[in-house]
Amino acid sequence: MSKAFGFKEFGGPESQGFLDRPTPVPGPGQLLVAVRAAGVNPIDWKIRQGFMGTELPLPAVYGVEVAGVVQGVGRGVEGFAVGDEVFGSALAGGYAEHTLLAADHAARKPAGVSFVQAAVLPVAAATAYDGVLQLALEPGQTLLILGIAGGLGTAAAQIARGSGLTVLGTASDANRGFVESLGATQVRYGEGVAERIRAVAPGGVDGILDLIGGADARAAAEALATPGRLVSVVDPVTATDLDGAFVRRSGTAATLDALAALVAAGGLDPHITATYPLEQAAEALAVVEAGHARGKLVLEIG
Ligand SMILES: NC(=O)c1ccc[n+]([C@@H]2O[C@H](COP(=O)([O-])OP(=O)(O)OC[C@H]3O[C@@H](n4cnc5c(N)ncnc54)[C@H](OP(=O)(O)O)[C@@H]3O)[C@@H](O)[C@H]2O)c1
């Protein structure tokens, strides 16, 4: 048996708890992984709330991204062996002692990258990477990140700075110093945001990476130098209304390799602001669900 933390019903956190489940069996093309670290993401509680649909069989295990050690290899898998240190998107939940990865979307963890660091690359950092690339801005141009202080924004800011972009980001004043430590300029969100953006970037911004959506995205879009240069990771409807686009996720092992290489080279700090044991998964998820986590929260397992 294998310990996991999940939920039995869609809705609030009342039905969540620890589950004992049989250790998952890797199917064709899959890896069985002993999880060492799991990223905590807003998608975890959104799935529980049923925001992503209610077809998922219950009980379900939380968690979509992990790093760990290969314990079993499914039929047809090439290039991985038992004992390999890997990371990727979890197919069977990540808040767990064991999960499954799709071998063709998993990557080997470099020795210079910790399990905790690797665990946050498949979702937050990879989405940031895809979003920044999709905007296709030129070095010297200005990117505005809506929601810069969270897990995705923190990674996006560094990837954008590394590409030679000037970066602004919306965050509360409490995060001003943190945003500046990323090499970016903080702009307070809320009413009047477009004026505050223009005060920092008088010609407007060249692109927006939207991690917030809705009215925040509409207000900030007024400060775009070229209307429509917006990629959202949260709100396809508003993005389309603004002539922007929803993020296209690459989901490839090549992206994971590129991100791990960046971390190993010191070009990307995943900003792990807290780690929790699996036993405190509920506390970690509650912090993320409250909507004001700084950087990334990670479960350390085993
Ligand atoms: N499409 C995809 O594939 C994909 C992948 C990953 C994530 N996402 C989505 O992307 C979003 C961001 O993810 P994340 O991991 O970065 O979340 P997160 O870490 O939970 O974000 C927390 C941050 O949001 C900031 N924030 C809250 N309200 C804000 C507002 N109105 N304006 C600006 N900042 C605000 C908070 O800063 P303050 O404390 O300063 O308020 C906090 O630092 C989530 O909705 C997530 O579900 C989508």
Side-chain angles (χ1 to χ4, degrees), residues 160-251:
R161 292 284 295 130
S163 308
L165 302 178
T166 299
V167 179
L168 318 182
T170 59
S172 62
D173 286 342
N175 274 320
R176 176 180 288 268
F178 177 64
V179 173
E180 285 172 358
S181 78
L182 301 171
T185 302
Q186 177 258 4
V187 177
R188 179 166 38 87
Y189 54 81
E191 204 177 329
V193 70
E195 291 72 37
R196 286 191 292 282
I197 296 165
R198 284 196 182 276
V200 181
V205 296
D206 299 302
I208 292 179
L209 182 63
D210 167 38
L211 318 181
I212 304 294
D216 287 57
R218 288 179 195 282
E222 290 171 24
L224 268 174
T226 309
R229 202 81 180 264
L230 175 145
V231 169
S232 180
V233 308
V234 285
D235 187 347
V237 173
T238 302
T240 305
D241 283 354
L242 294 168
D243 292 326
F246 196 62
V247 68
R248 288 188 295 276
R249 295 291 318 278
S250 70

Side-chain angles (χ1 to χ4, degrees), residues 29-84:
Q30 296 180 343
L31 304 172
L32 168 66
V33 169
V35 180
R36 293 290 183 81
V40 181
N41 286 286
I43 190 75
D44 303 341
W45 64 261
K46 291 180 184 180
I47 291 172
R48 187 205 62 226
Q49 287 286 359
F51 294 166
M52 321 310 287
T54 50
E55 287 79 40
L56 185 70
L58 299 178
V61 176
Y62 284 119
V64 292
E65 58 179 357
V66 298
V69 180
V70 175
Q71 292 226 316
V73 173
R75 196 157 36 84
V77 170
E78 285 175 17
F80 290 102
V82 170
D84 284 351

Side-chain angles (χ1 to χ4, degrees), residues 101-192:
L101 301 184
D104 58 357
H105 290 81
R108 228 173 267 278
K109 181 186 81 60
V113 176
S114 70
F115 284 109
V116 166
Q117 290 174 318
V120 305
L121 302 180
V123 174
T127 310
Y129 186 85
D130 292 337
V132 171
L133 245 62
Q134 192 174 330
L135 277 162
L137 297 172
E138 300 291 334
Q141 289 193 298
T142 301
L143 170 67
L144 170 67
I145 300 171
L146 305 180
I148 194 171
L152 213 156
T154 302
Q158 296 174 75
I159 291 163
R161 292 284 295 130
S163 308
L165 302 178
T166 299
V167 179
L168 318 182
T170 59
S172 62
D173 286 342
N175 274 320
R176 176 180 288 268
F178 177 64
V179 173
E180 285 172 358
S181 78
L182 301 171
T185 302
Q186 177 258 4
V187 177
R188 179 166 38 87
Y189 54 81
E191 204 177 329

